Amino acid sequence: MNIICINTRDELNLIDLDLVACINASGNYSNVMYIDGNKLMVSVGLSQFEAIIKDAYRKQNMANTFVRLGRSVIVNNRYLSQINILKQKLTLSDRGTHAYQLSVPKNLLKSYKELIRSSYSGNSNLPGGAPEEK
């Protein structure tokens, strides 16, 4: 378990990062979206939340599974199931009963798609895919 503690003046929240699908910005607040559908709003901005996550993974010598896409969302790569650039949709799923679709600008999806594609092995020569380098 990778649990972080968000402690503010008025509240304390323990958040299990292994269960977080994404985190959305909402002004000076962040909306934590769990893969099971539960939501939590915390009074911490997205930049501060991102720093807390990075610090938690660094302290445990673990690879960070979270990626920030633009100004408004951080996604957990563990739940990535599809990137559709034409529809500007990103799908996060537990490959079971829960899934989220996020609207993300094309330019961010293109960059994210390339980052993910380069980190996985697979056939890049399919129609619409980039040719493999030799």
Side-chain angles (χ1 to χ4, degrees), residues 5 22-23 25-26 28 46 61-62 70-72 79 85-86 91 95 98-99 116 121 123 125:
C5 176
C22 64
I23 304 158
S26 181
N28 291 331
L46 202 60
N61 292 322
M62 295 172 58
R71 298 170 51 116
S72 63
Y79 295 112
I85 294 171
L86 293 177
T91 304
R95 282 126 182 111
H98 303 100
I116 297 300
S121 60
N123 190 345
N125 289 326

Side-chain angles (χ1 to χ4, degrees), residues 46-119:
L46 202 60
S47 293
Q48 189 177 358
F49 213 116
E50 180 182 30
I52 292 167
I53 290 170
K54 285 180 180 179
D55 189 50
Y57 278 97
R58 183 186 51 77
K59 284 181 179 176
Q60 294 186 21
N61 292 322
M62 295 172 58
N64 187 352
T65 60
F66 287 85
V67 173
R68 181 151 182 186
L69 300 179
R71 298 170 51 116
S72 63
V73 67
I74 298 172
V75 298
N76 189 341
N77 285 337
R78 294 180 61 195
Y79 295 112
L80 176 64
S81 64
Q82 184 181 42
I83 297 171
N84 188 320
I85 294 171
L86 293 177
K87 293 182 181 179
Q88 297 183 40
K89 296 289 181 190
L90 175 70
T91 304
L92 302 172
S93 169
D94 64 0
R95 282 126 182 111
T97 57
H98 303 100
Y100 288 110
Q101 272 202 338
L102 304 171
S103 294
V104 179
K106 282 184 182 181
N107 62 327
L108 295 175
L109 284 179
K110 284 181 182 180
S111 299
Y112 186 45
K113 179 180 176 246
E114 182 55 32
L115 173 73
I116 297 300
R117 188 202 64 76
S118 66
S119 66

